[in-house]
């Protein structure tokens, strides 16, 4: 049976974790044992109760795992650490604040089953001011113009890709990895799925 590894970067997300796990496991159960799953929380040295909370979940659910970094290395390094650890046939990256809805995993997997190497979310709308939305669009479009490599507009790390893609990302060994740029650089057969970003379910953005 093929395995799907879910990488969940966290930093001080104790209030979001229970809500996320509940939603994520409802999605997992909807696959009706078609795949094996593992959830790896990459803990970027949280200072709240996030680590203890995940350890408690692990006592009753072996599919939940946690990898704690020695210090706060930042979001990108947290994701990269997870990529080095997981062994799934497909890897799904998602934040636990649920701004990127866990339920979209169903659509991502469907596109993967159709033969796409990379499936990623395209953010149509955000729960933020119009000013910030416009500034984000301007920033990424300028970045696209000046970049030496391809930039996928309105994309984030919210994505699913094959183990082969994971190995290509890790083989680049960049000093300052930027996962979404790595995905764009790799190319291969990819598909974007539009969605509206939701409000954070709990806590504050870090």
């Amino acid at each position: 049976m093929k395995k799907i590894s879910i990488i969940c970067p966290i930093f001080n997300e104790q209030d979001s974790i229970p809500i996320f796990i509940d939603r994520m496991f409802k999605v997992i159960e909807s696959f009706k044992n078609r795949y094996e799953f593992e959830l790896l929380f990459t803990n970027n040295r949280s200072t709240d109760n996030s680590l203890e909370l995940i350890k408690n979940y692990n006592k009753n659910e072996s599919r939940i795992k946690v990898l704690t970094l020695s210090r706060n290395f930042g979001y990108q390094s947290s994701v990269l650490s997870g990529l080095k650890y997981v062994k799934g046939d497909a890897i799904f990256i998602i934040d636990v604040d649920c701004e990127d809805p866990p339920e979209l995993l169903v659509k991502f997997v469907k596109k993967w089953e159709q033969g796409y190497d990379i499936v990623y979310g395209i953010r149509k709308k955000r729960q933020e001011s119009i000013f910030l939305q416009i500034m984000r669009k301007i920033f990424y479009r300028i970045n696209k113009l000046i970049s030496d490599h391809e930039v996928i507009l309105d994309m984030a790390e919210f994505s699913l890709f094959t183990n082969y893609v994971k190995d290509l990302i890790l083989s680049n060994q960049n000093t300052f990895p930027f996962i979404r740029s790595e995905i764009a650089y790799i190319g291969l057969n990819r598909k974007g799925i539009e969605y509206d970003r939701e409000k954070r379910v709990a806590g504050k953005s870090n």
Side-chain angles (χ1 to χ4, degrees), residues 9-42:
I10 59 168
F11 177 70
N12 292 350
E13 291 285 3
Q14 63 180 17
D15 296 327
S16 299
I17 288 169
I19 300 170
F20 171 79
I21 287 179
D22 180 63
R23 287 177 63 174
M24 194 74 256
F25 268 90
K26 286 179 180 177
V27 176
I28 288 172
E29 297 307 320
S30 73
F31 284 96
K32 303 185 184 300
N33 297 319
R34 288 166 48 207
Y35 297 103
E36 293 181 11
F37 283 90
E38 65 174 349
L39 271 77
L40 175 64
F41 291 87
T42 53

Side-chain angles (χ1 to χ4, degrees), residues 80 83 93 161 164-174 177 179 182-183 186:
L80 191 65
L83 291 177
I93 301 173
F161 45 81
Y164 176 63
V165 171
K166 180 201 77 172
D167 289 342
L168 290 176
I169 292 172
L170 294 177
S171 68
N172 285 340
Q173 298 183 333
N174 286 338
I179 304 301
E182 300 284 346
I183 290 173
I186 286 168

Side-chain angles (χ1 to χ4, degrees), residues 123-141 154 196-197:
R123 296 168 173 173
K124 289 176 59 181
K125 294 182 181 179
R126 295 171 178 262
Q127 299 296 325
E128 61 186 15
S129 69
I130 296 296
F131 175 75
L132 281 177
Q133 292 183 47
I134 292 172
M135 293 306 295
R136 285 184 190 275
K137 287 184 178 294
I138 291 172
F139 170 79
Y140 285 114
R141 279 149 183 82
D154 303 316
D196 292 339
R197 209 165 192 224

Side-chain angles (χ1 to χ4, degrees), residues 87-131:
K87 303 296 183 183
D89 298 280
I91 294 87
F92 181 52
I93 301 173
I94 184 171
D95 297 343
V96 303
D97 57 17
C98 296
E99 289 184 3
D100 299 326
E103 292 76 15
L104 273 181
L105 176 60
V106 176
K107 290 186 177 181
F108 281 30
V109 170
K110 186 175 181 180
K111 293 302 178 183
W112 171 49
E113 291 172 338
Q114 291 173 358
Y116 288 98
D117 301 291
I118 301 166
V119 187
Y120 59 93
I122 301 175
R123 296 168 173 173
K124 289 176 59 181
K125 294 182 181 179
R126 295 171 178 262
Q127 299 296 325
E128 61 186 15
S129 69
I130 296 296
F131 175 75

Side-chain angles (χ1 to χ4, degrees), residues 43-56:
N43 175 31
N44 213 7
R45 211 66 188 179
S46 296
T47 57
D48 66 356
N49 199 43
S50 294
L51 179 58
E52 289 72 21
L53 192 59
I54 295 168
K55 285 181 176 179
N56 285 333

Side-chain angles (χ1 to χ4, degrees), residues 149-162:
H149 306 298
E150 183 180 1
V151 174
I152 304 174
L153 294 175
D154 303 316
M155 175 194 177
E157 281 66 34
F158 183 44
S159 58
L160 180 144
F161 45 81
T162 64

